[in-house]
């Protein structure tokens, strides 16, 4: 009887608001075709190390696979990897996801990581675990696309695996997660909001975006029958009443979106998604009517900058006038636009930041319902870009506040330092001065108090109205500096920050 490999999949802790670990569910579905798998979710099992070791004690596993986005997930990934290495020294440890894709050599510099899977992992991980279950033949390892590993102490990068468009018959094994109610959250969309990802990848290659590095401009939409089956399961079997789509770019080409919008219209589940200004502006009136029927409540739109030159530099592919136009368009069609901006670029840092403040004010004037999320612009290192893009559009060398070249971490442990977690999360950058950092904090404090997000379901309505009134004079007169009274009020009200907590 052939050996059926068994894999322990681990989702490192990253949030207090658990969402379905979609990447691990997809991996489990692929692994279970030829073996079996078990999932430990650190967002549910808060003592991740203990939960992982307890799972490993119950049965034999051929390998453990750990999915890592980066940022705050790196530290718990390291902790669980070290614990496995200590208690089960012969068990292969595999890292996959954005972090090992972007920082492969860094990942394999750690003694507690044996293999790194780059890009999409479903086929690569299944092949790897199968080979490991048969003894780990080196020639077989060398044939696995998208795998990086060590041979005689040297790091080997196998050729990339071609982009996989997904299996229309794939069924996600939600039953592996236990009680689904733990993953259905109360949000501004509904009382039982689920997360889902229909399409993967993005045609665009923004210089700060891990999606571009992960997929290299490739994208794939799901067959309509699979989307309807999966959403129907979430609604009718699990009781979800609304959806957060984690698609990298839900609105792409209009002709491709119509069948998906028709499904959403039939299901009548309010939803949120990522979108692009240029794509929304191209939609016909008939499609916008379908958008209305589908109950789209909010679209997250990457505006990034009011500077056309800056947008060209970061390869965004949109223009500032399109951002202003889509704010009006969304208002007309009853959709809340949630605009994100990248502040403090490494060149013309203060000037670009102040221009962005004024552009945000113009957006709020055009459509006061517009939601605003601000980040710090932190581009990927040249070596982290997709192989198709490396060296083609090199940016100016990144310099820190002292004019020295920015040196990125060379080990996963270094990435757990606060300054690098902040860099990965677009929360801080080495070229920011304390003065500008404070200026950004003050502006954002005044802005979010003047216009509390509709996504804040926790703060009482009277409290949000009071904070808005308190901040109005500062906002009106551009008196952002040292909003001490708003800081004090926030200690009691604690307005929600979508860029930290998510939708």
């Amino acid at each position: 009887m052939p050996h059926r490999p068994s894999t322990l999949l681990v989702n490192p802790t990253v949030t207090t608001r658990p969402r379905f670990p979609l990447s691990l569910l997809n991996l489990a579905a692929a692994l279970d075709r030829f073996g079996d798998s078990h999932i430990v979710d650190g967002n549910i099992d808060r003592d991740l190390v203990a939960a992982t070791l307890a799972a490993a004690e119950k049965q034999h596993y051929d390998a453990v696979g750990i999915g890592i986005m980066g940022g705050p997930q790196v530290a718990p990934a390291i902790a669980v990897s070290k614990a496995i290495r200590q208690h089960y020294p012969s068990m292969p440890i595999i890292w996959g996801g954005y972090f090992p894709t972007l920082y492969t050599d860094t990942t394999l510099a750690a003694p507690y990581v044996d293999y790194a899977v780059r890009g999409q992992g479903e086929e690569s991980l299944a092949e790897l675990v199968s080979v490991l279950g048969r003894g780990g033949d080196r020639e077989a390892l060398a044939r696995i696309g998208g795998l990086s590993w060590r041979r005689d102490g040297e790091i080997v990068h196998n050729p990339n695996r071609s982009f996989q468009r997904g299996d229309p018959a794939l069924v996600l094994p939600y039953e592996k997660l236990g009680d689904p109610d733990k993953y259905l959250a109360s949000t501004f969309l509904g009382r039982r909001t689920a997360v889902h990802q229909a399409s993967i990848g993005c045609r665009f290659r923004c210089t700060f975006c891990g999606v571009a590095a992960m997929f290299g401009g490739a994208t794939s939409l799901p067959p309509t029958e699979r989307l309807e089956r999966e959403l129907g399961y979430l609604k009718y079997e699990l009781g979800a009443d609304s959806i957060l789509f984690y698609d990298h770019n839900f609105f792409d080409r209009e002709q491709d979106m119509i069948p998906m919008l028709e499904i959403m219209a039939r299901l009548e589940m309010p939803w949120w998604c990522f979108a692009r200004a240029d794509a929304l502006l191209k939609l016909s009136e008939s499609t916008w009517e379908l958008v209305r029927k589908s109950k789209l409540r909010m679209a997250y739109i990457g505006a990034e900058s009011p500077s056309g030159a800056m947008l060209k530099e970061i390869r965004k592919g949109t223009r500032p006038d399109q951002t202003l136009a889509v704010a009006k368009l969304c208002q007309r069609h009853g959709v809340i636009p949630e605009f994100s901006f990248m502040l403090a670029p490494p060149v013309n840092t203060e000037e670009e930041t102040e221009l962005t403040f004024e552009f945000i004010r113009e957006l709020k004037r055009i459509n006061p319902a517009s939601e605003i999320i601000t980040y710090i612009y932190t581009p990927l290192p040249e070596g982290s870009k997709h192989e198709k893009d490396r060296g083609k559009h090199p940016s100016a060398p990144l310099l820190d506040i002292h004019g020295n070249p920015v040196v990125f971490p060379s080990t996963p442990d270094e990435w757990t330092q606060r300054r690098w977690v902040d860099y990965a999360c677009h929360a801080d950058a080495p070229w920011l001065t304390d003065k500008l950092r404070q200026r950004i904090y003050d502006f954002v404090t005044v802005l979010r108090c003047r216009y509390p997000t509709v996504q804040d379901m926790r703060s009482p309505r009277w409290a949000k109205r009071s904070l808005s009134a308190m901040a109005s004079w500062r906002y009106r007169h551009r008196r952002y500096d040292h909003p001490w009274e708003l800081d004090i009020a926030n200690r009691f009200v604690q307005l929600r920050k979508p860029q930290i907590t998510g939708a």
Side-chain angles (χ1 to χ4, degrees):
M1 182 176 179
H3 175 69
R4 288 178 59 82
S6 185
T7 310
L8 179 59
L9 297 172
V10 179
N11 183 36
T13 308
V14 71
T15 179
T16 58
R17 293 166 58 90
R19 305 284 171 81
F20 289 125
L22 298 174
S23 59
L24 265 60
L25 287 172
N26 277 274
L27 290 171
L31 290 166
D32 290 355
R33 291 174 175 173
F34 310 102
D36 64 79
S37 61
H38 176 80
I39 294 176
V40 176
D41 186 357
N43 295 324
I44 296 294
D45 299 303
R46 306 307 293 182
D47 190 341
L48 178 64
V49 170
T52 303
L53 293 178
E57 290 173 3
K58 291 180 180 179
Q59 71 170 81
H60 167 77
Y61 290 101
D62 293 284
V64 58
I66 304 174
I68 309 160
M69 284 283 293
Q73 267 197 320
V74 177
I78 292 173
V80 76
S81 297
K82 288 181 176 179
I84 293 167
R85 178 91 330 145
Q86 178 183 352
H87 290 84
Y88 301 94
S90 62
M91 184 183 295
I93 299 173
I94 307 162
W95 279 24
Y98 282 98
F99 184 84
T101 298
L102 270 57
Y103 308 106
T104 313
D105 287 352
T106 298
T107 298
L108 290 175
Y112 43 78
V113 182
D114 301 307
Y115 302 93
V117 173
R118 311 185 312 274
Q120 293 167 281
E122 290 87 340
E123 293 189 11
S124 299
L125 182 60
E127 291 180 15
L128 174 58
V129 173
S130 178
V131 170
L132 293 174
R134 299 194 305 269
D137 177 71
R138 288 189 174 188
E139 291 186 6
L141 289 172
R143 292 193 295 269
I144 300 174
L147 177 67
S148 293
W149 53 296
R150 298 187 198 89
R151 180 166 52 195
D152 299 327
E154 297 294 325
I155 294 176
V156 177
H157 301 296
N158 293 357
N160 282 348
R161 184 178 291 276
S162 60
F163 183 75
Q164 305 298 307
R165 299 194 174 275
D167 181 356
L170 185 75
V171 177
L172 298 182
Y174 287 99
E175 67 279 1
K176 289 180 179 287
L177 302 176
D179 182 6
D181 287 350
K182 296 179 293 186
Y183 294 94
L184 300 175
S186 177
T187 70
F188 76 105
L189 295 172
R191 298 182 65 181
R192 293 173 64 84
T193 303
V195 299
H196 186 66
Q197 184 164 359
S199 63
I200 57 173
C202 179
R203 291 189 294 120
F204 300 89
R205 298 177 177 177
C206 304
T207 57
F208 57 85
C209 184
V211 176
M214 188 89 165
F215 299 101
T219 187
S220 176
L221 296 172
T224 54
E225 60 271 18
R226 175 179 170 182
L227 178 63
E228 190 158 22
R229 182 186 72 240
E230 291 177 333
L231 294 180
Y233 179 83
L234 291 174
K235 179 175 181 176
Y236 299 116
E237 298 297 326
L238 302 188
D241 62 8
S242 46
I243 296 290
L244 290 168
F245 277 103
Y246 281 178
D247 294 39
H248 303 129
N249 181 19
F250 192 93
F251 285 95
D252 193 0
R253 297 180 176 90
E254 182 173 10
Q255 66 270 25
D256 296 326
M257 301 316 306
I258 291 175
M260 301 173 74
L261 291 171
E262 289 173 342
I263 292 172
M264 293 305 298
R266 288 196 293 270
L267 290 172
E268 296 185 321
M269 300 171 75
W271 54 293
W272 173 102
C273 71
F274 292 97
R276 286 177 58 90
D278 51 356
L280 293 176
L281 290 171
K282 292 176 182 176
L283 297 183
S284 63
E285 284 297 319
S286 60
T287 300
W288 270 110
E289 177 62 19
L290 192 55
V291 169
R292 184 190 65 78
K293 292 179 180 178
S294 74
K295 295 192 174 183
L296 174 62
R297 294 291 182 256
M298 182 180 290
Y300 182 107
I301 302 167
E304 318 310 1
S305 173
S307 166
M310 179 67 183
L311 292 175
K312 185 176 180 180
E313 170 70 19
I314 66 176
R315 305 185 69 191
K316 180 66 184 180
T318 57
R319 304 187 309 270
D321 63 290
Q322 292 173 323
T323 300
L324 298 175
V326 83
K328 295 179 182 178
L329 187 64
C330 286
Q331 184 180 47
R332 183 156 63 89
H333 290 287
V335 174
I336 299 173
E338 185 178 26
F339 294 106
S340 68
F341 287 90
M342 290 290 182
L343 304 174
V347 179
N348 297 327
T349 307
E350 294 189 9
E351 178 184 352
E352 290 285 349
T353 300
E354 294 296 334
L355 287 173
T356 304
F357 291 168
E358 289 303 307
F359 191 80
I360 288 171
R361 293 179 63 94
E362 178 64 9
L363 274 176
K364 296 296 286 187
R365 185 191 66 79
I366 291 172
N367 183 354
S370 298
E371 299 262 309
I372 305 296
I373 293 182
T374 59
Y375 297 101
I376 303 301
Y377 175 61
T378 51
L380 294 173
E382 190 67 26
S384 294
K385 296 178 181 178
H386 194 275
E387 62 178 10
K388 296 178 182 177
D389 298 323
R390 290 174 195 163
K392 289 186 177 180
H393 302 274
S395 302
L398 297 176
L399 304 178
D400 65 17
I401 192 174
H402 303 295
N404 300 317
V406 174
V407 179
F408 288 92
S410 58
T411 67
D413 292 84
E414 291 177 24
W415 273 106
T416 66
Q417 297 173 15
R418 174 61 185 271
R419 60 182 180 133
W420 292 116
V421 172
D422 286 346
Y423 189 96
C425 295
H426 304 292
D428 204 352
W431 47 87
L432 257 66
T433 63
D434 289 340
K435 179 181 178 182
L436 182 56
R437 193 178 289 109
Q438 185 65 47
R439 174 70 170 171
I440 292 171
Y441 171 84
D442 291 346
F443 171 80
V444 171
T445 297
V446 173
L447 178 69
R448 70 186 185 91
C449 288
R450 178 65 183 89
Y451 297 101
T453 173
V454 299
Q455 301 172 58
D456 189 343
M457 305 297 293
R458 180 185 59 191
S459 302
R461 185 172 299 178
W462 64 264
K464 290 188 283 187
R465 287 177 176 173
S466 298
L467 274 173
S468 180
M470 288 176 64
S472 62
W473 74 272
R474 284 186 173 274
Y475 186 83
R476 183 169 60 250
H477 298 292
R478 295 175 172 79
R479 297 289 298 274
Y480 312 129
D481 292 349
H482 308 298
W484 57 271
E485 74 283 9
L486 300 180
D487 285 334
I488 293 174
N490 265 292
R491 295 177 188 173
F492 299 96
V493 178
Q494 295 182 347
L495 291 176
R496 192 162 177 272
K497 302 177 182 179
Q499 64 263 52
I500 296 175
T501 58

